[in-house]
Amino acid sequence: MIHPALLLVALGAALALMTVTWALSLVVRDASIADIAWGPVFALIAWLSVLESDSLGVSLPVAILVSAWAARLALHIALRHKGEDPRYAAMRKRRGAAFPIWSLASVFWLQAVLATVVALPVIAATGRAGSSIPLIAGFAIAAAGLAFEAVADIQLTRFRGDPAGAGQVLDTGLWRYSRHPNYFGESVFWWGMWLGLAASGATPVWTVIGPVLITGLLIRVSGVTLLERSITSRRPGYADYVQRTSAFVPRRPNP
């Protein structure tokens, strides 16, 4: 069970961090900095769980692993950030003078709530001891997911930095086997965290809602579906790439 007080503290901390980020977004007129803060929200929740935990043997490794994932993601997004994302710019134009308050609720606070739900396995593990072998196995899966995501992002960054790749499709490396290997790696990270904690008895099985939610978001909301709405028109070879390459789970490409 999750202690209600800890859940409220985690949610409150997530909302507070995102509110501060929102205030900064008003100054720089860039709502997309919410994406940079997404990872750090998880790290904050994880370390708050450490402070409340009676079993550092579980919560401390979790916090370290989550922090590594969060730091890498935040740095990756920050380094490629070049002004407000067109999606947020379009929202700003549609909402006009109401955009600041609307973005607080619909962008920043929404991300805080979603992050808290995804982090439920971490929050629920507070004060619970776990069996070491399942924990190690789950953490190994999570670490593999983190590495997979990092390698995919490095390959994409290099491709985008090469002038020869302008207008082309990245279909080498991990991108030969999945159209979105970075999103797949992120999903694996959270499934590994949950599997290790749940299998060891350190977190309730029902917290599976966390990895289910993040996977759904990556496939249906903010990830695969959103990106592929316009990419085909921008990259002529993408339609053929879609036909031969898995959207999410890596597999051998079709001939």
Side-chain angles (χ1 to χ4, degrees):
M1 292 292 293
I2 294 180
H3 195 290
L6 178 58
L7 181 58
L8 288 175
V9 168
L11 177 59
L15 289 170
L17 178 54
M18 277 304 195
T19 300
V20 171
T21 307
W22 167 76
L24 179 59
S25 79
L26 299 182
V27 176
V28 299
R29 287 186 60 80
D30 185 352
S32 54
I33 63 173
D35 298 338
I36 300 175
W38 169 254
V41 169
F42 288 90
L44 176 60
I45 291 174
W47 284 105
L48 284 173
S49 297
V50 170
L51 293 177
E52 295 296 326
S53 179
D54 296 325
S55 178
L56 294 183
V58 175
S59 61
L60 187 58
V62 168
I64 292 172
L65 199 50
V66 170
S67 295
W69 168 83
R72 189 215 69 85
L73 182 62
L75 180 62
H76 171 71
I77 296 175
L79 289 177
R80 73 177 188 179
H81 187 72
K82 301 184 185 302
E84 190 166 58
D85 186 289
R87 294 171 297 168
Y88 293 111
M91 294 176 191
R92 183 184 297 277
K93 184 176 181 180
R94 286 198 306 270
R95 299 291 172 174
F99 179 76
I101 297 301
W102 181 88
S103 67
L104 174 62
S106 300
V107 177
F108 293 87
W109 283 355
L110 176 60
Q111 288 199 21
V113 172
L114 292 174
T116 303
V117 175
V118 173
L120 283 176
V122 174
I123 301 170
T126 301
R128 297 166 65 105
S131 301
S132 59
I133 293 179
L135 275 174
I136 293 172
F139 291 169
I141 293 172
L146 173 57
F148 199 90
E149 180 182 9
V151 170
D153 278 338
I154 290 172
Q155 292 175 344
L156 181 60
T157 298
R158 289 177 176 173
F159 177 76
R160 286 176 169 173
D162 184 355
Q168 303 301 310
V169 176
L170 173 58
D171 59 359
T172 57
L174 297 179
W175 300 81
R176 180 172 183 263
Y177 305 99
S178 169
R179 303 201 300 273
H180 302 277
N182 49 349
Y183 294 149
F184 173 76
E186 183 165 339
S187 176
V188 169
F189 175 83
W190 288 107
W191 276 106
M193 293 292 295
W194 175 80
L195 283 169
L197 292 168
S200 70
T203 201
V205 174
W206 64 263
T207 59
V208 70
I209 188 175
V212 168
L213 175 61
I214 190 64
T215 302
L217 290 173
L218 290 170
I219 295 176
R220 297 296 182 185
V221 183
S222 62
V224 176
T225 301
L226 182 63
L227 278 177
E228 297 202 341
R229 285 176 182 169
S230 62
I231 195 170
T232 301
S233 61
R234 292 186 284 110
R235 298 182 183 276
Y238 201 80
D240 180 61
Y241 179 57
V242 168
Q243 292 301 313
R244 67 176 187 271
T245 310
S246 169
F248 192 69
V249 179
R251 61 166 173 75
R252 173 182 281 183
N254 296 324

